[in-house]
Amino acid sequence: MMGGLGSISTPMCISSTFPSKLQNPNPRKLSHPFLSFHKSHSLSLSSRFSPQNNKVTGTLFILKASSSVGTADYTEEPTTKVKFQTSLSLPGHSSSLSLLGTGYREKVFAIIGVKVYAAGLYVNQSILSKLDAWKGRSAAQIQDDFSLFKSIFEVPLEKSLQIVLVRDVDGKTFWDALDEAISPRIKKPTPVDESALSTFRSIFQGRPLNKGTFIFLIWPDPSKMLVAVSADGLPTRIDATIESANVGSALFDVFFGDAPVSPSLKTSVAGGLAAVLK
């Protein structure tokens, strides 16, 4: 997680379960699900991470196409084994979002790496039509180009980060770590920013966040962020609306800026973008 994590429970086996109404009894595991919405593609992408930066090494994603838009296909984040649906619809939004990449967050305590959560980025597919300037770029070029991720954030179309905890964390610890990452990115917070941060904080204070909890951060447009938390599968309601462009932008930067808290997530997303913008 972002920043310090003082109270984390003993590591346990990781599992992720979706409600039965959202599952396909015979789901197909896709190594890069975003391509399931683009027919006639089949390619490979090698994705390597540096162990010095808590990244995965030697992961190979095989990207294949499919036309099964309506099924509950999933992809598995390789380090935590958490499964993410390839597409989903969130409370209050009729449009379906597509999974673009997954990764995980690890904290190091006494030289031992502790996995805290897995994360996946979902986007409205129409965002891709706004990214023609990056067509043909390699995954490495995309990953190093902050202007692309800034463009994704600024498009007034929905995008969402799904976080799945892989161990128990108390709400205050989660918020403190989140705030530690957000605050330095807002140089001169306005009263609107302070109010938004207070609302954001209230979601987690005094709330236990058990292993398997889903946290969705949803950006319908650059000026607004919705937060939904569910201890039992996908959420059915929105817990809070954060109306501050600075807070929303800072949080997106935490994951996709120059120093992302989950390098594996940004690398995976860059690979997905390179594949669909080929």
Side-chain angles (χ1 to χ4, degrees):
M1 199 184 322
M2 298 66 73
L5 275 170
S7 56
I8 296 181
S9 66
T10 303
M12 297 184 291
C13 293
I14 300 164
S15 64
S16 178
T17 305
F18 296 110
S20 58
K21 67 179 180 178
L22 294 168
Q23 287 186 326
N24 183 335
N26 297 295
R28 294 185 298 108
K29 180 181 174 183
L30 302 178
S31 50
H32 210 298
F34 198 79
L35 289 184
S36 67
F37 299 89
H38 298 265
K39 300 181 182 180
S40 304
H41 291 82
S42 180
L43 57 147
S44 297
L45 173 66
S46 176
S47 179
R48 299 184 181 276
F49 309 106
S50 166
Q52 287 81 7
N53 293 322
N54 297 325
K55 303 178 185 178
V56 181
T57 59
T59 299
L60 181 68
F61 296 101
I62 306 301
L63 310 182
K64 297 182 179 179
S66 166
S67 58
S68 55
V69 176
T71 63
D73 292 333
Y74 68 91
T75 190
E76 184 179 90
E77 196 287 310
T79 299
T80 61
K81 309 303 181 185
V82 170
K83 295 177 176 64
F84 290 85
Q85 290 187 205
T86 60
S87 66
L88 53 81
S89 295
L90 296 172
H93 300 274
S94 58
S95 61
S96 177
L97 302 183
S98 301
L99 181 63
L100 189 54
T102 65
Y104 69 97
R105 174 63 169 139
E106 182 177 67
K107 288 294 295 180
V108 177
F109 297 93
I111 75 171
I112 298 176
V114 177
K115 309 297 185 297
V116 183
Y117 58 75
L121 179 67
Y122 289 83
V123 300
N124 184 315
Q125 287 192 86
S126 296
I127 288 177
L128 295 177
S129 65
K130 312 295 184 181
L131 304 177
D132 286 347
W134 289 273
K135 281 189 175 181
R137 301 282 184 89
S138 68
Q141 289 173 320
I142 287 174
Q143 183 172 350
D144 292 337
D145 190 347
F146 176 68
S147 64
L148 184 151
F149 290 93
K150 183 178 179 182
S151 295
I152 290 175
F153 177 76
E154 291 178 346
V155 173
L157 292 169
E158 191 177 18
K159 67 282 298 180
S160 176
L161 187 73
Q162 178 186 357
I163 293 172
V164 182
L165 296 178
V166 297
R167 60 185 62 254
D168 296 347
V169 181
D170 70 88
K172 182 180 184 303
T173 298
F174 185 88
W175 167 255
D176 288 347
L178 196 64
D179 186 44
E180 185 178 317
I182 295 173
S183 293
R185 289 171 163 84
I186 305 176
K187 303 302 181 183
K188 295 181 179 180
T190 67
V192 171
D193 299 334
E194 295 287 0
S195 176
L197 288 170
S198 177
T199 299
F200 205 177
R201 181 187 307 111
S202 68
I203 300 169
F204 300 106
Q205 294 287 9
R207 182 175 193 164
L209 301 174
N210 298 325
K211 184 183 73 169
T213 295
F214 285 18
I215 300 172
F216 279 88
L217 307 174
I218 308 159
W219 295 270
D221 61 64
S223 66
K224 182 184 299 184
M225 183 176 70
L226 311 178
V227 184
V229 182
S230 173
D232 184 23
L234 295 176
T236 57
R237 63 184 178 84
I238 298 298
D239 288 275
T241 299
I242 310 298
E243 299 196 61
S244 164
N246 287 335
V247 172
S249 176
L251 190 56
F252 197 82
D253 186 76
V254 165
F255 290 93
F256 301 105
D258 292 334
V261 296
S262 174
S264 58
L265 173 62
K266 187 176 179 182
T267 297
S268 178
V269 170
L273 286 167
V276 296
L277 296 175
K278 193 173 179 66

